[in-house]
Each structure stands twice: as structure tokens, then as C-alpha cells.
Amino acid sequence: MARFTGVWIAPGLLFFVFVFLKFVNSGYLLVLSPPVFAWMGLWTSEWYRDSPLPRGGKRLIVVACATSNTLVFLFAPVYCSYGEVRRFETDLTAIVTLLPQIASARDTVIVGFDSHFLGYRHAGYYLPDYQVFQFPEVHFPSGSRVFAMQRRNTWLDGGSTPAGINNFVLFPLQQEDREARDYMREIVRRFPPGELRMVSRGAYRFAIGSAASLGVLFPAARRPIWNGPPRAQ
């Protein structure tokens, strides 16, 4: 079992340490957790069998640990807890309802962020009529490109600004998350004063700007805005 655990965990840990280790990606480490939990289950069963504590005391410890684990799952301020997921769902429902009221898909594109919560994928899947661009751009040997979505189709390409598109709107991040608020402020500060118009709806603020200003967000992309998904051949 030890050899199997090493074969399972070691390559993944090496990959994360030397290639992919960022806090925002830490959730992917969960794929390495089953062997850890298997060992913990084995050690717990051996402790319960061999411990000199009275059975009542051992049961009390087990119940306390299970209760603590449940409380962490329900209320911990991490993106995989039940409380955070429910908050995200509430925010997403509100934003998907409010955004079309202030910006039409006919003349506005959405810029979303690479985020666990309220990221560009959520904007693309829940607002399929809009073209959605992912910030930041991605870099390849042939040049920088931008991921895009529309009607739940994803592609990576370049082109000209879509006909009739005059504006963009930044897909809001979670208001109660300080890191997300700070990140959004940094994005807004990239634009010259007066370049963005802030529109408030309830607890949410939407930053709207001219499509001509999208180069501020995608300066390295050869052709940062494009005219729709690739046509079928």
C-alpha cells in the first residue's frame, strides 16, 4: 500500500511544486487526497482497536472529530465549503438577472476573470447570448490570444470587433471577498479616469466601458477582440 501511495501522490506533488503551484489552483490537490484519507481511516481503525481508553471515551472522540469535520464543511471560509457555494449561487443568480437589465447582448460583450467563483466560465454558461472574453490573455510562441465563449462554445482566436458591439462590462466578483474586491479595484485602476462608468444594482456594481478601450485589458494580444466563434467547415 505504501508503494501504491507513493506512485499515486509523488508525481502529482512534483507537478504542483515545480509547474502549477498557485493558491488559486490549490483545489486541484484534492485529487491526491484519497490515499491520504485511506491511510487516515486505517490509522483511526487501529487506534480505536488498540487504544486503552474506555469505549465511551473513544466514541466521544470520534463524534467530536466528525462534528468538527461537518462544521468545517458547512461554514469554513474556503471555496469548497457549503456556505461559500451557497453564497456563490446567490450572487450568480442575482448577477445573471441584473446584468441584462443594464447591458444588452446586442451591443455589449462581457469580460470575465479566471476565478473559481463568478469567473468567465460562469458568465459564458449562464449568459450564453453574450460574447464573453477571459482576462487575462494567454501567451503562446505565436503570440498572445484571448479565450472567448458564446452560446456555450469556447474558442481561442483573434479578429475584429464584432459589428454593433459598442461596450463591454466587467463580470462582478464576490462583493464579500476582500481579495476579490482588491483584485477588481486593481483592474479598474488600469483605465484612465472617466473611462469606466459604474452602475449599481442592489449590492452589485457593474463597470461598463467602451469596446474601443478593451486594449487596456488585452495589450499584448495581436487581435484581442474577434467577431464570433469559428464557422463550421
Side-chain angles (χ1 to χ4, degrees):
M1 185 172 175
R3 182 179 300 175
F4 173 75
T5 303
V7 171
W8 185 328
I9 290 182
L13 284 177
L14 291 174
F15 175 77
F16 274 93
V17 169
F18 295 106
V19 179
F20 206 56
L21 186 57
K22 294 182 179 179
F23 178 75
V24 70
N25 295 321
S26 59
Y28 293 110
L29 286 171
L30 291 174
V31 74
L32 304 179
S33 62
V36 176
F37 297 151
W39 278 109
M40 291 177 65
L42 175 62
W43 295 331
T44 301
S45 66
E46 291 176 344
W47 165 82
Y48 193 87
R49 181 193 63 199
D50 301 331
S51 174
L53 290 174
R55 178 171 296 183
K58 291 189 285 189
R59 288 179 176 175
L60 183 62
I61 292 173
V62 170
V63 170
C65 291
T67 301
S68 299
N69 186 57
T70 302
L71 291 175
V72 168
F73 167 70
L74 291 176
F75 303 113
V78 294
Y79 78 93
C80 54
S81 71
Y82 177 80
E84 289 296 304
V85 170
R86 289 296 298 160
R87 188 175 72 172
F88 153 70
E89 291 175 342
T90 300
D91 286 340
L92 181 61
T93 299
I95 291 170
V96 167
T97 301
L98 294 171
L99 193 149
Q101 298 176 11
I102 64 174
S104 170
R106 292 190 300 272
D107 63 359
T108 305
V109 296
I110 297 174
V111 176
F113 304 101
D114 186 12
S115 172
H116 289 301
F117 290 144
L118 302 179
Y120 106 104
R121 298 171 186 84
H122 303 109
Y125 277 104
Y126 288 91
L127 292 167
D129 291 337
Y130 291 80
Q131 287 194 39
V132 181
F133 305 146
Q134 181 188 6
F135 177 88
E137 58 202 359
V138 291
H139 304 287
F140 298 96
S142 58
S144 297
R145 296 290 185 271
V146 181
F147 279 109
M149 290 182 67
Q150 189 174 29
R151 305 192 189 285
R152 302 186 176 95
N153 180 27
T154 303
W155 72 96
L156 181 66
D157 204 345
S160 59
T161 302
I165 295 298
N166 301 313
N167 307 302
F168 71 89
V169 58
L170 299 180
F171 200 70
L173 296 174
Q174 286 186 295
Q175 303 295 306
E176 299 177 10
D177 187 319
R178 186 180 66 180
E179 184 177 352
R181 292 198 307 270
D182 292 344
Y183 183 76
M184 182 64 80
R185 280 196 290 266
E186 288 297 322
I187 297 300
V188 170
R189 277 200 284 263
R190 293 177 177 231
F191 293 87
E195 193 87 6
L196 296 180
R197 176 168 56 95
M198 306 303 296
V199 177
S200 296
R201 289 291 187 275
Y204 305 94
R205 300 188 72 201
F206 299 86
I208 301 175
S210 169
S213 301
L214 279 169
V216 173
L217 296 178
F218 306 112
R222 185 173 63 187
R223 294 180 298 173
I225 306 304
W226 45 92
N227 51 13
R231 296 180 180 178
Q233 299 296 321

